[in-house]
Amino acid sequence: MNVQPLSLRTKIIISFLVVIIVGGSLSLYFGSRLVKRTIISQAQAKVEHDLAAAWMVFNEKLNDVKEIVDFTASRESIQDAIKHDRQDILFKYLSRVRNENGLDILTLTDNKGKVILRTRNPEVIGDSQAEDEVISMALKGGICSFPQIVTRSELLKEAPELAEQAYMVFIETPKAAQRPEKREENGMMLKAASAVVDENGEILGVLYGGLLINRNYEIVDRVKEIVYKDEKYKGREIGTATIFQHDLRISTNVKDEAGNRAIGTRVSKEVSQAVLVEGKPWIDRAFVVNDWYITAYEPIRNISGDIIGILYVGVLERPYIDTTNRVILAFSVIAILSVVLLLILLFISTTRIIHPIKEMVFATQRIAEGDLSHKVDVKSKDEVGILADSFNQMTTDLKTANEKLIEWGRTLEKKVEERTKELREAQAHLFQTEKLASLGKLAAGVAHEINNPLGGILIYSHLLLEDLDKNSPYHNNLEKIVKETTRCKDIVKGLLEFARPKEPEATLTNVNELLNKSLSLIESQSLFQNIQVEKRYSADLPLIVADSAQLQQVFMNIILNAADAMQGEGRLTLRTSLSSDGEDLIIDFSDTGPGIREEDMEKIFDPFFTTKEVGHGTGLGLSISYSIIRKHQGTIDVQSTFGEGATFTIKLPIAGGIEDD
Ligand SMILES: Nc1ncnc2c1ncn2[C@@H]1O[C@H](COP(=O)(O)OP(=O)(O)O)[C@@H](O)[C@H]1O
Ligand SMILES: [Mg+2]
C-alpha cells in the first residue's frame, strides 16, 4: 500500500495535539473528580450538621413531654386528689392536660406501679407498669424521659386507636434487608414519667405520658421546615427527615412514587447493618426509597442503651450531581476552546516555521530541474535563515563552477577542432611531400638520361644552323628543331630543379621588396598591360631568413599563373601581414580570374598537372613552388570558388630558416 508521508507541519501539530489531549484529558479527569468530591463532601458536611439540628428537634419534643408530665405531677391538686382518692377530679384534670398538650397518653399509677387512671382508656386499670423501664425509674422518686418501644398489648391497654396507629404492614422496598416479619405491631413512643411526691417526700404514685411517633409527622416536618425551608428542586423536595422504628419508616417526609409519605418502607440493607447492627452513624450517599440521597443516619437508643430505631436526614443527591456536571461541562468547554485556540496558534506558528523550509524544498526542486539562479528568500535570522544563506551560497558556487565547466568544454572543443585541422593539414602536406619525393626521383632519373642527348641535339642543330644558308629551305625547319629542343631542355631543367633543387642560400630577406622585384621583372610583359596590381603590404614586417632567389621564383610562378588565369585582364591583389599570434608571415595573392574547379583543387600542386594547352604549361610551377616553401618550413595553400577568382596563401615562419635535405 502506498502511504502518503505526513508533512512536517502535520507531524508537529499531531505531536503537540497528543500532548494537549493527554494533558487536557488527565486534568479534566482529575479536575472533575476533585470538583465532584469537593461538592459532595461539602453537601455531606451540611447533612451531618442537619442531623444535629434534627436531634435538637427530636430531643426538644421529648423534653416537652417530660416537662408537661413533670409539671402536672408536681401540682398539689393532683397530690390531694390521690390522697383522697378523688378519681373524678383526677380524670377531669388529667384529661384536660392531655388534650391541651396533645399527648397521646397520660396515665397515673399508685406507688407500686399499678395503674389507677388511664385518661385515654378509663376502663382498663389495675395492671402493673412497674416493669416498665421508664416508669420503674420514676417509682424511685424522680423523673425520667426516653424514647421507647411499646408493645401492641400495652398500646391496646392505653388505647386501641394507638395500636391501630402503630400497626404497619411492610412495603416491599428494594435494597432493604430480608426480614421474616411482614408487619410491625409495636409502636415507638417518646415517654416521660414523673413521681408524684407529697410535702413529706412520700411517693404517692407515678404520672406518665407519651407521644406515639408512628404516623406522627410533627418532628420530621419540623426538621424539614427548620433545616430545609421547603426547598425544592425540579418539583421535588430536597430535604428529608425520617424516624425509623428498627429499619421501618414510621414517620417520614420522604415520598413514594405516588407522592405519599413512604411509611412502611424500610432502610437499605447496608445502612441497617451499619447503624442497627454495628451501632455506628452512617454518613454517605444512600438509596432512599427510590432515589439517591446524601444522608446521615444515627441510632435512636432507649433507656438501656439498646438501639430501637434510627434518626435520619438527607438531601437529594441530584442537585449536587447536576451542579457538579455543570461545573465539569463548563470546565470541558473551556478546555475544548483552549485546545481549539491552541490549535489555531499552533497552525499559525508552524506556518511561520514551515514556510522557509518549504521555500528551501521548492528551491532544491528548482535546482534539481537545473535552475541554478533560483534563490531562497528567507529573512529570518535563526538556524533556518543561516541554512538558507548557506544554501544560496552553495547554489551560487555551483552555478559558477558549472559555467566554468561549460566554458572549459567549449574551449576544449575549439582546441580539438583546431588540432584536428592542423593534423589534417599536416597529413595532407606530408602526403604531398612524399608524393613529390617519389615523383621527383622518377623524374630525375628520366631527366638525367634525356639531358645529355638533348644537349647533343641542341649543339649539333645549332652548328647546322650556323653553317646553313639563311635562304635554305631547311633553315626554317632547323630553327623549329632548335626552338623545340630548347623547350625540352627547359622542361628537363625544371624537372631536375624540382627533383634536386639547388642548395638554398640563406639571406635576410625583405618580403615586400622581393614581391616588388618579382613584379618588376614581369610587369613589362604584354600579358600585364591590362592587369591592375594592388599592393597591400604591411609596413612593419620583420626580415626573414630565406633563399630570396627561390622565393622570387615562387612569387613569379604564382603571379604568372594569376595573369594566365585572368587572360590578361583583371585585378591582382598582393597582401602581406603577420599572423595573429605574430609567429608567421603571411603573403596572399588574390586574382579575379575564373578560379579553380572543385575537382582540381587537390591536384594543382601535383607535378605535371596543368589545364593549359600543350606548349603553354608544364604543370611544374606550383609543385616546384610547393617544395621550395616546404624547405622554408612554411605552407602554401589555395582557396577558390569556381567563377570567383583564387587566392594563394603562403605562410612562412619568422623564426623559421631553411631545412636541410
Ligand atoms: N591563379 C590561378 N587561377 C586559376 N587556375 C590556376 C591559377 N594558378 C594555377 N592554376 C591552375 O593550376 C595549374 C597548375 O599550374 P602550374 O603548376 O603553374 O602549371 P602550369 O602553369 O604550367 O599549368 C594550372 O594549369 C591552372 O589550371
Ligand atoms: Mg605555371
Side-chain angles (χ1 to χ4, degrees), residues 557-566 572 589-591 593-597 600 603-613 616-625 638 640 645-648:
N557 268 336
I558 293 173
I559 293 168
L560 277 171
N561 276 348
D564 277 341
M566 291 189 285
L572 175 68
F589 304 81
S590 297
D591 64 59
I596 304 157
R597 287 175 195 279
D600 292 342
K603 301 178 215 156
I604 58 167
F605 291 104
D606 291 354
F608 307 113
F609 176 80
T610 179
T611 56
K612 293 167 190 172
E613 290 167 36
H616 284 278
T618 58
L620 282 173
L622 283 179
S623 44
I624 291 170
S625 301
V638 63
S640 172
T647 299
F648 283 82

Side-chain angles (χ1 to χ4, degrees), residues 297-351:
Y297 296 81
E298 261 176 17
I300 299 172
R301 291 171 192 273
N302 67 8
I303 189 165
S304 323
D306 300 328
I307 297 166
I308 56 165
I310 309 170
L311 181 63
Y312 148 93
V313 289
V315 288
L316 206 56
E317 196 186 45
R318 176 91 0 235
Y320 294 94
I321 295 288
D322 286 352
T323 308
T324 309
N325 289 344
R326 266 200 306 278
V327 171
I328 291 169
L329 185 72
F331 201 65
S332 312
V333 168
I334 291 169
I336 288 165
L337 284 181
S338 311
V339 168
V340 170
L341 192 75
L342 274 175
L343 271 181
I344 292 169
L345 288 177
L346 203 61
F347 192 80
I348 294 169
S349 63
T350 47
T351 305

Side-chain angles (χ1 to χ4, degrees), residues 45-57:
K46 186 183 174 299
V47 169
E48 234 179 310
H49 206 257
D50 297 345
L51 185 64
W55 273 122
M56 266 174 63
V57 174

Side-chain angles (χ1 to χ4, degrees), residues 124 176 179 201 308 337 367 412 507 533 586 611:
V124 182
R179 271 183 70 177
I308 56 165
L337 284 181
I367 285 157
L412 202 64
T507 50
V533 178
I586 296 168
T611 56

